[in-house]
């Protein structure tokens, strides 16, 4: 957000498709997340940027 000079409210972050289910069913732990991180996508409202 700092790179694009926008407020946090303009940034949308969505977890990768498998992460929410893995957290819900317990097949991923906080230790796993701390070790490997999470997959996510982001976009900024009103800008043609995403990642």
């Amino acid at each position: 957000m700092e790179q694009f000079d926008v407020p946090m409210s303009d940034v949308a972050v969505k977890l990768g498709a498998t992460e929410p289910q893995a957290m819900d069913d317990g097949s991923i732990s906080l230790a796993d997340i701390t070790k490997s991180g999470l997959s996510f996508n982001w976009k900024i409202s009103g800008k043609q940027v995403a990642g």
Side-chain angles (χ1 to χ4, degrees), residues 12-39:
V13 176
K14 181 176 180 182
L15 286 176
T18 59
E19 267 81 14
Q21 181 178 351
M23 286 185 272
D24 288 345
D25 67 22
S27 62
I28 190 170
S29 69
L30 182 56
D32 297 328
I33 294 169
T34 301
K35 180 180 176 185
S36 303
L38 290 172
S39 173

Side-chain angles (χ1 to χ4, degrees), residues 1 6 11 16-17 20 24 26 29 31 38 40 43 50:
M1 88 195 133
V6 297
V11 180
D24 288 345
S29 69
L38 290 172
F40 63 91
K43 65 180 180 177

